[in-house]
Amino acid sequence: METRSKKPNPIDVEVGRRIRMRRVLLRLSQSSLAEGPGITFQQVQKYEKGTNRVGASRLQAIAQVLETPVSFFFEGQQPNGAHEDGLHGEEITEFLSTAEGLALNKSFTRIQSADVRRKVVGLVKTLADGEVAQEPSEDTV
């Protein structure tokens, strides 16, 4: 008998990403988050990966620990799990789920000058464009 691994539902994955993003933003460990609803840190890992679906009452308990409304986990999602603007919302959530993304976001929001913020964005775009231009094409490989 063939065993198939079921692909996680995109909504479950997005809810998991948002749980992780909020947890990291609050500097909570998976174990600390797990204490509130009385679950294991392994269960938190499964929720964050989207491999396990979070039930309504459990999501309410997690939202309380994360000091956010339950609606935060679903904001901007389409019924089928797709975003209006492609992967944009998913990319933001993924970015803010990384230590670098959080550090950059926190530092960026402390910059008071709109002109300096624009220059920082320009710098990042230039760096990213330069990195893309340096990637070898299929012709040169």
Side-chain angles (χ1 to χ4, degrees), residues 13-137:
V13 172
E14 183 63 18
V15 168
R17 278 196 185 111
R18 289 174 183 243
I19 289 171
R20 184 181 192 300
M21 176 180 64
R22 184 69 182 160
R23 178 183 61 77
V24 170
L25 186 65
L26 295 175
R27 297 184 176 153
L28 291 175
S29 67
Q30 290 176 331
S31 296
S32 296
L33 174 57
E35 288 175 14
I39 57 178
T40 65
F41 79 90
Q42 291 96 335
Q43 188 63 42
V44 171
Q45 287 176 332
K46 290 177 182 180
Y47 289 155
E48 289 183 355
K49 290 179 183 175
T51 54
N52 280 16
R53 192 170 280 170
V54 186
S57 60
R58 180 82 31 91
L59 188 59
Q60 176 65 43
I62 289 171
Q64 287 176 338
V65 173
L66 296 176
E67 302 170 358
T68 192
V70 171
S71 61
F72 165 79
F73 302 107
F74 300 98
E75 290 172 352
Q77 292 192 39
Q78 300 301 311
N80 65 359
H83 293 278
E84 291 175 352
D85 51 358
L87 296 176
H88 186 68
E90 186 176 311
E91 290 169 347
I92 291 171
T93 303
E94 192 172 314
F95 170 71
L96 291 175
S97 296
T98 66
E100 298 86 358
L102 278 173
L104 185 59
N105 186 57
K106 286 179 182 180
S107 297
F108 185 82
T109 58
R110 291 195 336 249
I111 299 171
Q112 298 297 312
S113 168
D115 187 49
V116 172
R117 285 195 305 268
R118 279 191 293 276
K119 288 178 181 177
V120 168
V121 171
L123 172 64
V124 172
K125 284 181 178 180
T126 300
L127 292 170
D129 291 345
E131 197 170 90
V132 169
Q134 292 178 8
E135 289 180 1
S137 67

